[in-house]
Amino acid sequence: MEQLTPDAVVKAAAGLFLLSIVTAHGLTSHPIHKLGKRPMGKGIWTYLSSQLFTSTSGIWGYDNSLGCFCPIWRLSFHISSILVLYSILSSVAWSDEHAWNLGIVAAICYTAIFFILDKVTLGVSHPGGPREHKIRRMPQWEDKKSSVDDMLVSSDGKEKWRCAVATDSHRATLSSFGLQAKDGENGIKSDAIGMTGEPFGRQMWVKDSKSVDVHLSMEQEKCIRDMARAGRDGFNPSKNPNTGDIIFREQMIRNYVARGGTLPDVNSKARTVREAARKGVHFYSMLQTEDGHWAGDYGGPHFLMPGLIFAWYIMGKPSKMINQDQCGLMAHYLKVHQQSDGGWGTHIESPSTMFGTVLCYVSLRLLGEDPDTPYMRRGKAFIQNEGGAIMTSSWAKFWLCLLGCMEWEGHNSVPPEMWLLPNWFPFHPGRLWCHCRMVYLPMGYLYGARFVYKDAANDPLIQQLREELYCDTYESIDWDKTRHLVADMDNYSPVPFVMKFAQNLLALYESLSFIQPLKQYIRKRGLDFCKDYMAAEDLQTNFIDIGPVNKVLNLVSAFHAANFDIDHSTVQNHMMRIPDYLWIAEDGMKMQGYNGSQCWDTSFAIQAISECHLLDDFPGVSKKVWSFLERTQILSTEVSQSSVAFEYESAENRSKYYRHVSKGGWPFSTSAHGWPISDCTGEGLKGVCVLLKSPKILESIRKGEILDIGETRLQDAVNVILTLQNEDGGWATYENNRGFGWYEQLNPSEVFGDIMIDYSYAECSMASLTALCAFHELYPHHRTEEIQHAIQHGRDFFKSIQRPDGSWYGSWACCFCYGCWFGIEGLVRSGDTPSSPAIKKCCDFLLSKQRDNGGWGEDFTSCYDKDYAENGMASYGDEGSGVVNTAWALLALSEAKCDNVKAVKRGVQYLIERQLPCGDWPQEGISGVFNRACGITYTAYRNIFPIWALGRCYEVYGDVLDEKE
């Protein structure tokens, strides 16, 4: 048995491991046409058998899309680990006659370790909580009302701001750039500069005479104004920092009346559930845009627009990018959201933070505000009282470095050469969550290029800011010692020790002289890769990019790569997509968290109308939604397939640029945006499925009034959903989880939590799972085994992330009522009965949170603290309750057929009582959230979810809900 000595075993383990790595590397993305195809199974053995013996086998080496090795190589790594464990046991108790016994013991111990860890530890996608350090500070504003009415109309009264959509928005953009219809009015351009991608869903604000041309009577104008304002008069953040979207809603209602539409009766309120639902749908139908979607304010974060303003200033303040009128509206927005302590929050409901304050203060200075005005002096005092800008978070520091208001030595290294590592390397940027990846991609490029605003040294404003932002003189600051400094108020996710250690090593790598020749050689290759990757992202998204942060960073990078040529085609194409992110409301102009939530809101809205059994009562609405969903399915229409983005759908390009399959998915916003998301694809597919049950829709398809969405296109959507399911049974957002839980130990952001990998979420999992159920009901013979397996595996995931109190944490909205709706609906639609322990436990949780007035309420602190808000929606709701939270709770309870009818009835009556005479509901607190710590606005939620809850509750409980006590 000499060959089984510990040394021999270690050599065998090392040899097997190296052989596996080398062969897997050689077989990376081979065969390429199977990229992203995961074998079915729930563990290594079932995956292995599926890989070897079924048609669902995937890549044979490392799969860039899935972020994992194929089952064969994974098994070989496990065997290598068992051999290492065997050698350790052998070194303690070695004897020739017991060698095989030790081998068996090693295998059993290794398996037992995995089994125990699986049972006693939470899965990587379990959000955990409650947090030990909860938010205690509250935002405060001066009790002061403001208005933008005078800023919306030109001084001569001939032009007014309005929201333009679809081809109208393309025309407006092309006109502002001196271009013609051939340059992309319909999404197909003939030259290097122009608009590409589907116009449907695009929304932008333009100042012209079209709104002025709508003439109505004074009585009609007053009625419309009162409806749009929903009981509000101007903007006062001390009452509510959330806007009611008054300007957009007033425009849409005016257009509706001008087309001959009938206004809801405002002289009486609805008395029954069905009346309230119908009135709600009537009001909301007036807000539908001409291309079929519902638009709305998707703002909230305060750190987004400053990035755009910084970029605008760095690029020489081009008026095509931000014009004078926009500057005024942006400055107004920043000023009205300043809090009484002089600071700004990270978002509109956040207490002041250094992250928000530094960025907003500098933005106002770049927009031309005088530093000696009272509000600017208060802002400067807040910054200096907290230790100066050296105490802000890393993302703000990055912008200060670009502007020339901080030295690069004050920012931790973002090495672009990380992209040159092998794709299978345990920590590779390609494994990061796509939003994180696509932000740090241009950050790496700009850091590696040491980009600084070229006139920083001679610009008087930059010199003034260097004095205003710091407590010490700029020249005296030891920048390297400030790299890890961050104010407690910004430090939601403290950078772990292991990341600080890595950052200190990278600081040495950046500074040690003898490393520089090698570093410069590697860095050039890293910069070239980043430049190529950013160009691919720009083209794949028709220059919209995945989100507002990487949008402006990619723009600055393109400006640098074009040798500061503002007229370069790439820079011009970028600037034409800036309006996609801007929104005007009663608090001014803001930058949204995306280019809108069009497809997401519209998919929800049509399902809500369907559950009220009102699809055919509002046929115009239904047909417009159908057309919108048809045109919004990604890379599925003639226009979208004519764009360069379609060329990037090849498996080779998806592997090179770490993209999941896109064709057939639905987006959060628009087809032109180009990034499909699991839950958006699921809700879009469900929207189509409910419309396919409408006789009037089917008749319109037969008559050719609307285009058909064939079964093949629905199968494409199902393919997107099936390939997005993670190994834990859940669904992540844009891609499969490619990384590991320990990646969060390398989270450098400070202000955000759980951003490093694409976790499986309750929301994404319910939307995907229930979409598969809806599709399977209509088309039971397509990929039956795979769909049934996915549903069963998804149901198991839901149960694995349920909290001990019966709730589910909502990661993308506020918060537990939202999560509970997704959790219960996911379980019920996947086959669990209402009597199952998991569902009953969740119902008990929700019932325990019902408030005295019959409603439910939470605010942003539920998300931040990972604990149900103790006082509900105390600040901006109604005695702690809110209509959106109440609707989510009712959707969950009615889906579970909760037998506490009295509680459901109280909740329904609360929604009816809170409904306004016109059919609208009041705008209350912020509804959305992302990355645990930042709130975001969904003004559409106050309409969609109460309508949906009323429809579902009536369907389940009937007229008993209208009976008086």
Side-chain angles (χ1 to χ4, degrees), residues 326-337:
Q326 290 171 320
C327 286
L329 285 166
M330 289 177 177
H332 179 88
Y333 173 87
L334 293 169
K335 286 185 279 190
V336 299
H337 281 284

Side-chain angles (χ1 to χ4, degrees), residues 302-379:
H302 284 328
F303 62 89
L304 301 177
M305 190 166 68
L308 174 63
I309 295 169
F310 277 53
W312 166 76
Y313 192 88
I314 286 168
M315 294 170 63
K317 302 193 290 187
S319 60
K320 288 182 181 179
M321 186 170 164
I322 303 177
N323 62 40
Q324 186 176 358
D325 288 336
Q326 290 171 320
C327 286
L329 285 166
M330 289 177 177
H332 179 88
Y333 173 87
L334 293 169
K335 286 185 279 190
V336 299
H337 281 284
Q338 186 181 30
Q339 297 187 25
S340 54
D341 61 7
W344 285 264
T346 299
H347 59 92
I348 56 176
E349 287 191 17
S350 162
S352 295
T353 62
M354 283 291 281
F355 184 34
T357 302
V358 169
L359 288 174
C360 291
Y361 176 87
V362 175
S363 294
L364 282 170
R365 292 288 282 118
L366 298 179
L367 289 169
E369 295 297 319
D370 188 329
D372 292 325
T373 57
Y375 53 89
M376 295 302 287
R377 287 203 301 268
R378 296 204 322 269

Side-chain angles (χ1 to χ4, degrees), residues 225-266:
R225 194 177 307 113
D226 290 343
M227 280 190 185
R229 295 193 175 189
R232 290 192 174 195
D233 183 21
F235 179 74
N236 186 341
S238 71
K239 306 300 182 186
N240 192 335
N242 297 271
T243 70
D245 235 353
I246 294 171
I247 299 167
F248 170 75
R249 291 181 172 223
E250 184 174 335
Q251 173 194 322
M252 296 309 297
I253 299 171
R254 290 179 82 238
N255 292 343
Y256 172 83
V257 173
R259 294 193 304 268
T262 303
L263 293 172
D265 179 11
V266 297

Side-chain angles (χ1 to χ4, degrees), residues 432-445:
L432 297 172
W433 179 44
C434 57
H435 272 284
C436 180
R437 179 171 81 240
M438 302 314 291
V439 165
Y440 282 99
L441 171 69
M443 278 189 173
Y445 176 83

Side-chain angles (χ1 to χ4, degrees), residues 813-819 821 846 851 854-860 862-863 868-869 872-874 877 880-893 910-911 924-927 941-942 945-946 949:
C814 305
C815 168
F816 291 97
C817 292
Y818 188 67
W821 166 44
L846 286 173
R851 302 187 70 82
W856 281 262
E858 297 178 78
D859 62 14
F860 168 74
S862 282
C863 310
Y868 199 96
M873 192 183 286
S881 294
V883 294
V884 177
N885 293 125
T886 300
W888 288 332
L890 290 173
L891 283 167
L893 292 171
Y910 176 80
L911 290 182
E924 297 169 334
I926 204 162
S927 298
Y941 279 14
R942 78 186 204 234
F945 290 108

